[in-house]
PDB file of all heavy atoms in Angstrom:
ATOM      1  N   ASP A   1     -33.794 192.619 -27.464  1.00  0.00           N
ATOM      2  CA  ASP A   1     -35.223 192.044 -27.362  1.00  0.00           C
ATOM      3  C   ASP A   1     -35.824 191.743 -28.677  1.00  0.00           C
ATOM      4  O   ASP A   1     -36.640 192.525 -29.169  1.00  0.00           O
ATOM      5  CB  ASP A   1     -36.129 193.093 -26.536  1.00  0.00           C
ATOM      6  CG  ASP A   1     -37.443 192.595 -26.192  1.00  0.00           C
ATOM      7  OD1 ASP A   1     -37.679 191.343 -26.480  1.00  0.00           O
ATOM      8  OD2 ASP A   1     -38.232 193.335 -25.632  1.00  0.00           O
ATOM      9  N   VAL A   2     -35.498 190.518 -29.241  1.00  0.00           N
ATOM     10  CA  VAL A   2     -36.010 190.171 -30.542  1.00  0.00           C
ATOM     11  C   VAL A   2     -37.563 190.055 -30.466  1.00  0.00           C
ATOM     12  O   VAL A   2     -38.301 190.468 -31.366  1.00  0.00           O
ATOM     13  CB  VAL A   2     -35.278 188.882 -31.038  1.00  0.00           C
ATOM     14  CG1 VAL A   2     -35.927 188.349 -32.252  1.00  0.00           C
ATOM     15  CG2 VAL A   2     -33.847 189.206 -31.295  1.00  0.00           C
ATOM     16  N   VAL A   3     -38.014 189.330 -29.419  1.00  0.00           N
ATOM     17  CA  VAL A   3     -39.393 189.003 -29.305  1.00  0.00           C
ATOM     18  C   VAL A   3     -40.352 190.360 -29.256  1.00  0.00           C
ATOM     19  O   VAL A   3     -41.298 190.495 -29.989  1.00  0.00           O
ATOM     20  CB  VAL A   3     -39.727 188.120 -28.163  1.00  0.00           C
ATOM     21  CG1 VAL A   3     -41.214 187.854 -27.984  1.00  0.00           C
ATOM     22  CG2 VAL A   3     -39.008 186.795 -28.238  1.00  0.00           C
ATOM     23  N   GLY A   4     -39.866 191.207 -28.454  1.00  0.00           N
ATOM     24  CA  GLY A   4     -40.607 192.420 -28.308  1.00  0.00           C
ATOM     25  C   GLY A   4     -40.637 193.276 -29.611  1.00  0.00           C
ATOM     26  O   GLY A   4     -41.683 193.856 -30.071  1.00  0.00           O
ATOM     27  N   CYS A   5     -39.533 193.224 -30.323  1.00  0.00           N
ATOM     28  CA  CYS A   5     -39.484 194.005 -31.609  1.00  0.00           C
ATOM     29  C   CYS A   5     -40.324 193.285 -32.693  1.00  0.00           C
ATOM     30  O   CYS A   5     -41.080 193.984 -33.392  1.00  0.00           O
ATOM     31  CB  CYS A   5     -37.997 194.154 -32.103  1.00  0.00           C
ATOM     32  SG  CYS A   5     -36.982 195.321 -31.168  1.00  0.00           S
ATOM     33  N   GLU A   6     -40.269 192.034 -32.646  1.00  0.00           N
ATOM     34  CA  GLU A   6     -41.152 191.306 -33.728  1.00  0.00           C
ATOM     35  C   GLU A   6     -42.601 191.332 -33.440  1.00  0.00           C
ATOM     36  O   GLU A   6     -43.371 191.626 -34.392  1.00  0.00           O
ATOM     37  CB  GLU A   6     -40.686 189.796 -33.734  1.00  0.00           C
ATOM     38  CG  GLU A   6     -39.334 189.507 -34.408  1.00  0.00           C
ATOM     39  CD  GLU A   6     -39.000 188.129 -34.558  1.00  0.00           C
ATOM     40  OE1 GLU A   6     -39.444 187.275 -33.764  1.00  0.00           O
ATOM     41  OE2 GLU A   6     -38.322 187.871 -35.562  1.00  0.00           O
ATOM     42  N   LEU A   7     -43.041 191.250 -32.225  1.00  0.00           N
ATOM     43  CA  LEU A   7     -44.450 191.347 -31.839  1.00  0.00           C
ATOM     44  C   LEU A   7     -44.967 192.775 -32.022  1.00  0.00           C
ATOM     45  O   LEU A   7     -46.114 192.985 -32.534  1.00  0.00           O
ATOM     46  CB  LEU A   7     -44.756 190.858 -30.496  1.00  0.00           C
ATOM     47  CG  LEU A   7     -44.530 189.293 -30.258  1.00  0.00           C
ATOM     48  CD1 LEU A   7     -44.800 189.001 -28.822  1.00  0.00           C
ATOM     49  CD2 LEU A   7     -45.377 188.558 -31.118  1.00  0.00           C
ATOM     50  N   GLY A   8     -44.156 193.746 -31.605  1.00  0.00           N
ATOM     51  CA  GLY A   8     -44.541 195.152 -31.807  1.00  0.00           C
ATOM     52  C   GLY A   8     -44.795 195.543 -33.293  1.00  0.00           C
ATOM     53  O   GLY A   8     -45.783 196.090 -33.621  1.00  0.00           O
ATOM     54  N   GLY A   9     -43.831 194.983 -34.156  1.00  0.00           N
ATOM     55  CA  GLY A   9     -43.919 195.256 -35.565  1.00  0.00           C
ATOM     56  C   GLY A   9     -45.070 194.563 -36.224  1.00  0.00           C
ATOM     57  O   GLY A   9     -45.661 195.064 -37.202  1.00  0.00           O
ATOM     58  N   ALA A  10     -45.495 193.427 -35.704  1.00  0.00           N
ATOM     59  CA  ALA A  10     -46.524 192.634 -36.312  1.00  0.00           C
ATOM     60  C   ALA A  10     -47.883 193.135 -35.929  1.00  0.00           C
ATOM     61  O   ALA A  10     -48.669 193.407 -36.757  1.00  0.00           O
ATOM     62  CB  ALA A  10     -46.376 191.123 -35.877  1.00  0.00           C
ATOM     63  N   LEU A  11     -48.077 193.329 -34.633  1.00  0.00           N
ATOM     64  CA  LEU A  11     -49.469 193.674 -34.181  1.00  0.00           C
ATOM     65  C   LEU A  11     -49.873 195.078 -34.457  1.00  0.00           C
ATOM     66  O   LEU A  11     -51.076 195.410 -34.542  1.00  0.00           O
ATOM     67  CB  LEU A  11     -49.635 193.320 -32.672  1.00  0.00           C
ATOM     68  CG  LEU A  11     -50.194 191.877 -32.519  1.00  0.00           C
ATOM     69  CD1 LEU A  11     -49.177 190.771 -32.771  1.00  0.00           C
ATOM     70  CD2 LEU A  11     -50.761 191.731 -31.120  1.00  0.00           C
ATOM     71  N   LYS A  12     -48.905 195.921 -34.624  1.00  0.00           N
ATOM     72  CA  LYS A  12     -49.315 197.274 -34.947  1.00  0.00           C
ATOM     73  C   LYS A  12     -50.035 197.433 -36.165  1.00  0.00           C
ATOM     74  O   LYS A  12     -50.917 198.295 -36.382  1.00  0.00           O
ATOM     75  CB  LYS A  12     -48.047 198.272 -34.946  1.00  0.00           C
ATOM     76  CG  LYS A  12     -47.000 197.806 -36.047  1.00  0.00           C
ATOM     77  CD  LYS A  12     -47.143 198.583 -37.352  1.00  0.00           C
ATOM     78  CE  LYS A  12     -46.153 198.025 -38.327  1.00  0.00           C
ATOM     79  NZ  LYS A  12     -46.304 198.612 -39.616  1.00  0.00           N
ATOM     80  N   ASN A  13     -49.834 196.425 -37.146  1.00  0.00           N
ATOM     81  CA  ASN A  13     -50.614 196.517 -38.405  1.00  0.00           C
ATOM     82  C   ASN A  13     -52.040 196.137 -38.222  1.00  0.00           C
ATOM     83  O   ASN A  13     -52.967 196.610 -38.836  1.00  0.00           O
ATOM     84  CB  ASN A  13     -49.998 195.456 -39.395  1.00  0.00           C
ATOM     85  CG  ASN A  13     -48.716 195.952 -40.015  1.00  0.00           C
ATOM     86  OD1 ASN A  13     -48.511 197.182 -40.127  1.00  0.00           O
ATOM     87  ND2 ASN A  13     -47.848 195.036 -40.347  1.00  0.00           N
ATOM     88  N   VAL A  14     -52.395 195.331 -37.258  1.00  0.00           N
ATOM     89  CA  VAL A  14     -53.732 194.904 -36.899  1.00  0.00           C
ATOM     90  C   VAL A  14     -54.503 196.124 -36.274  1.00  0.00           C
ATOM     91  O   VAL A  14     -55.511 196.490 -36.721  1.00  0.00           O
ATOM     92  CB  VAL A  14     -53.809 193.713 -35.958  1.00  0.00           C
ATOM     93  CG1 VAL A  14     -55.168 193.429 -35.547  1.00  0.00           C
ATOM     94  CG2 VAL A  14     -52.978 192.576 -36.453  1.00  0.00           C
ATOM     95  N   ILE A  15     -53.729 196.819 -35.394  1.00  0.00           N
ATOM     96  CA  ILE A  15     -54.424 197.959 -34.752  1.00  0.00           C
ATOM     97  C   ILE A  15     -54.528 199.084 -35.683  1.00  0.00           C
ATOM     98  O   ILE A  15     -55.544 199.927 -35.703  1.00  0.00           O
ATOM     99  CB  ILE A  15     -53.523 198.425 -33.556  1.00  0.00           C
ATOM    100  CG1 ILE A  15     -53.231 197.310 -32.559  1.00  0.00           C
ATOM    101  CG2 ILE A  15     -54.140 199.570 -32.810  1.00  0.00           C
ATOM    102  CD1 ILE A  15     -54.487 196.530 -32.066  1.00  0.00           C
ATOM    103  N   ALA A  16     -53.624 199.217 -36.703  1.00  0.00           N
ATOM    104  CA  ALA A  16     -53.787 200.206 -37.733  1.00  0.00           C
ATOM    105  C   ALA A  16     -55.035 200.074 -38.607  1.00  0.00           C
ATOM    106  O   ALA A  16     -55.676 201.006 -39.047  1.00  0.00           O
ATOM    107  CB  ALA A  16     -52.523 200.250 -38.645  1.00  0.00           C
ATOM    108  N   ILE A  17     -55.418 198.771 -38.837  1.00  0.00           N
ATOM    109  CA  ILE A  17     -56.633 198.443 -39.528  1.00  0.00           C
ATOM    110  C   ILE A  17     -57.874 199.037 -38.751  1.00  0.00           C
ATOM    111  O   ILE A  17     -58.787 199.625 -39.258  1.00  0.00           O
ATOM    112  CB  ILE A  17     -56.769 196.935 -39.840  1.00  0.00           C
ATOM    113  CG1 ILE A  17     -55.771 196.526 -40.756  1.00  0.00           C
ATOM    114  CG2 ILE A  17     -58.219 196.656 -40.409  1.00  0.00           C
ATOM    115  CD1 ILE A  17     -55.721 194.962 -40.987  1.00  0.00           C
ATOM    116  N   ALA A  18     -57.850 198.741 -37.412  1.00  0.00           N
ATOM    117  CA  ALA A  18     -58.898 199.270 -36.525  1.00  0.00           C
ATOM    118  C   ALA A  18     -58.908 200.813 -36.559  1.00  0.00           C
ATOM    119  O   ALA A  18     -60.002 201.464 -36.552  1.00  0.00           O
ATOM    120  CB  ALA A  18     -58.687 198.821 -35.149  1.00  0.00           C
ATOM    121  N   PHE A  19     -57.729 201.402 -36.568  1.00  0.00           N
ATOM    122  CA  PHE A  19     -57.593 202.900 -36.646  1.00  0.00           C
ATOM    123  C   PHE A  19     -58.214 203.407 -37.944  1.00  0.00           C
ATOM    124  O   PHE A  19     -58.972 204.389 -37.997  1.00  0.00           O
ATOM    125  CB  PHE A  19     -56.204 203.330 -36.532  1.00  0.00           C
ATOM    126  CG  PHE A  19     -56.010 204.728 -36.395  1.00  0.00           C
ATOM    127  CD1 PHE A  19     -55.805 205.358 -35.171  1.00  0.00           C
ATOM    128  CD2 PHE A  19     -55.891 205.632 -37.529  1.00  0.00           C
ATOM    129  CE1 PHE A  19     -55.600 206.793 -35.033  1.00  0.00           C
ATOM    130  CE2 PHE A  19     -55.793 206.981 -37.480  1.00  0.00           C
ATOM    131  CZ  PHE A  19     -55.589 207.543 -36.126  1.00  0.00           C
ATOM    132  N   GLY A  20     -58.044 202.722 -39.002  1.00  0.00           N
ATOM    133  CA  GLY A  20     -58.511 203.162 -40.319  1.00  0.00           C
ATOM    134  C   GLY A  20     -60.090 202.973 -40.262  1.00  0.00           C
ATOM    135  O   GLY A  20     -60.761 203.740 -40.913  1.00  0.00           O
ATOM    136  N   ILE A  21     -60.626 201.982 -39.646  1.00  0.00           N
ATOM    137  CA  ILE A  21     -62.080 201.806 -39.530  1.00  0.00           C
ATOM    138  C   ILE A  21     -62.637 203.068 -38.726  1.00  0.00           C
ATOM    139  O   ILE A  21     -63.657 203.587 -39.192  1.00  0.00           O
ATOM    140  CB  ILE A  21     -62.397 200.477 -38.817  1.00  0.00           C
ATOM    141  CG1 ILE A  21     -62.066 199.252 -39.728  1.00  0.00           C
ATOM    142  CG2 ILE A  21     -63.873 200.478 -38.456  1.00  0.00           C
ATOM    143  CD1 ILE A  21     -62.238 197.885 -39.040  1.00  0.00           C
ATOM    144  N   ALA A  22     -61.988 203.364 -37.627  1.00  0.00           N
ATOM    145  CA  ALA A  22     -62.502 204.573 -36.964  1.00  0.00           C
ATOM    146  C   ALA A  22     -62.392 205.814 -37.751  1.00  0.00           C
ATOM    147  O   ALA A  22     -63.295 206.690 -37.741  1.00  0.00           O
ATOM    148  CB  ALA A  22     -61.636 204.731 -35.653  1.00  0.00           C
ATOM    149  N   GLU A  23     -61.336 205.920 -38.471  1.00  0.00           N
ATOM    150  CA  GLU A  23     -61.177 207.105 -39.454  1.00  0.00           C
ATOM    151  C   GLU A  23     -62.246 207.065 -40.472  1.00  0.00           C
ATOM    152  O   GLU A  23     -62.921 208.070 -40.897  1.00  0.00           O
ATOM    153  CB  GLU A  23     -59.781 207.082 -40.090  1.00  0.00           C
ATOM    154  CG  GLU A  23     -59.537 208.275 -41.017  1.00  0.00           C
ATOM    155  CD  GLU A  23     -59.358 209.490 -40.389  1.00  0.00           C
ATOM    156  OE1 GLU A  23     -58.951 209.533 -39.182  1.00  0.00           O
ATOM    157  OE2 GLU A  23     -59.535 210.585 -41.034  1.00  0.00           O
ATOM    158  N   GLY A  24     -62.466 205.881 -41.125  1.00  0.00           N
ATOM    159  CA  GLY A  24     -63.549 205.725 -42.227  1.00  0.00           C
ATOM    160  C   GLY A  24     -64.987 206.038 -41.658  1.00  0.00           C
ATOM    161  O   GLY A  24     -65.764 206.551 -42.410  1.00  0.00           O
ATOM    162  N   LEU A  25     -65.145 205.723 -40.416  1.00  0.00           N
ATOM    163  CA  LEU A  25     -66.471 205.932 -39.849  1.00  0.00           C
ATOM    164  C   LEU A  25     -66.632 207.432 -39.286  1.00  0.00           C
ATOM    165  O   LEU A  25     -67.640 207.731 -38.780  1.00  0.00           O
ATOM    166  CB  LEU A  25     -66.768 204.937 -38.620  1.00  0.00           C
ATOM    167  CG  LEU A  25     -66.998 203.588 -39.049  1.00  0.00           C
ATOM    168  CD1 LEU A  25     -67.044 202.636 -37.894  1.00  0.00           C
ATOM    169  CD2 LEU A  25     -68.137 203.356 -39.952  1.00  0.00           C
ATOM    170  N   LYS A  26     -65.532 208.198 -39.342  1.00  0.00           N
ATOM    171  CA  LYS A  26     -65.514 209.613 -38.862  1.00  0.00           C
ATOM    172  C   LYS A  26     -65.854 209.684 -37.346  1.00  0.00           C
ATOM    173  O   LYS A  26     -66.702 210.511 -36.987  1.00  0.00           O
ATOM    174  CB  LYS A  26     -66.361 210.460 -39.724  1.00  0.00           C
ATOM    175  CG  LYS A  26     -65.985 210.451 -41.177  1.00  0.00           C
ATOM    176  CD  LYS A  26     -66.789 211.435 -41.990  1.00  0.00           C
ATOM    177  CE  LYS A  26     -66.411 211.377 -43.455  1.00  0.00           C
ATOM    178  NZ  LYS A  26     -65.019 211.543 -43.857  1.00  0.00           N
ATOM    179  N   LEU A  27     -65.187 208.827 -36.587  1.00  0.00           N
ATOM    180  CA  LEU A  27     -65.596 208.680 -35.193  1.00  0.00           C
ATOM    181  C   LEU A  27     -64.920 209.732 -34.334  1.00  0.00           C
ATOM    182  O   LEU A  27     -65.157 209.909 -33.051  1.00  0.00           O
ATOM    183  CB  LEU A  27     -65.332 207.285 -34.584  1.00  0.00           C
ATOM    184  CG  LEU A  27     -66.198 206.240 -35.211  1.00  0.00           C
ATOM    185  CD1 LEU A  27     -65.838 204.815 -34.715  1.00  0.00           C
ATOM    186  CD2 LEU A  27     -67.657 206.488 -34.980  1.00  0.00           C
TER     187      LEU A  27
END
């Protein structure tokens, strides 16, 4: 599953930015 592996690896970085925002806001 090349597509699944590529999309998972790509979009997790976007979600990690959101996670960092939540961490930075101490939510």
Side-chain angles (χ1 to χ4, degrees):
D1 188 4
V2 171
V3 176
C5 285
E6 288 190 325
L7 290 178
L11 267 73
K12 59 90 183 180
N13 286 329
V14 181
I15 306 306
I17 295 173
F19 188 96
I21 291 172
E23 181 71 25
L25 292 175
K26 302 186 184 304
L27 294 179

